[in-house]
Amino acid sequence: MEISQNGWPANKDPQQIKIISCAVPGTKIKLRVAKRCAPLLVAFAADFHRLVEPIDEGSLDDWGFNYRPVRGKTTGLSNHSSGSAIDLNSKIHPLGKRNTFTSDQRNVLDELCAKYKIKGGYTFKKRADDMHFEMACGPAEATALIKELGLDNE
């Protein structure tokens, strides 16, 4: 089985890794993500929409699963390849541009990322990727966190 950078199972065939399409509460957006981390990524996206900035206005520039290598590298699969990463408001936060969030927004993002065990691309040192949010824990830890946060009943 292939794995993405963060250790999640990856595959060209989304059915093999149980990619599902999930509506983000409070929006018109659906994200394609791995079923095992869907409650975390979807709850994060809903909180992002509510507390950071709207994600369903203007063009549709939010997505999840996309089987591909890490951009700019010849080896290694992107975390999008496992459905364990999402991009939000890519036009406002384009790849390569830093500090696209205000300090207040970053403070909220820090809290949300800690709550959902997600790493935000706005913290990346080598390449700016402010739109990007990926699971920072493995499948077993994600399952436990989903239960702990009460997201397993949704």
Side-chain angles (χ1 to χ4, degrees), residues 2-3 5 10 12 18 25 30 32 37-38 48 66 69 80 82 94 97 104 126 130 139 143-144 148 151 154:
E2 294 180 286
I3 59 167
Q5 267 192 328
K12 285 181 184 180
K18 297 182 178 152
K30 286 188 174 184
R32 293 179 69 216
C37 61
F48 181 101
N66 180 12
H80 290 284
S82 60
K97 189 170 181 187
D104 288 342
K126 291 185 180 179
D130 286 9
T143 299
E148 177 185 322
L151 299 174
E154 294 182 6

Side-chain angles (χ1 to χ4, degrees), residues 101-126:
F101 293 106
T102 67
S103 60
D104 288 342
Q105 287 174 315
R106 282 193 304 276
N107 290 337
V108 173
L109 286 170
D110 289 344
E111 291 175 18
L112 294 177
C113 286
K115 176 180 180 178
Y116 295 111
K117 296 203 178 178
I118 288 173
K119 183 173 185 176
Y122 67 96
T123 67
F124 293 175
K125 302 293 184 219
K126 291 185 180 179

Side-chain angles (χ1 to χ4, degrees), residues 36 40 117 136-146:
R36 287 189 73 182
L40 298 171
K117 296 203 178 178
C137 66
E141 192 175 350
T143 299
L145 182 59
I146 289 165

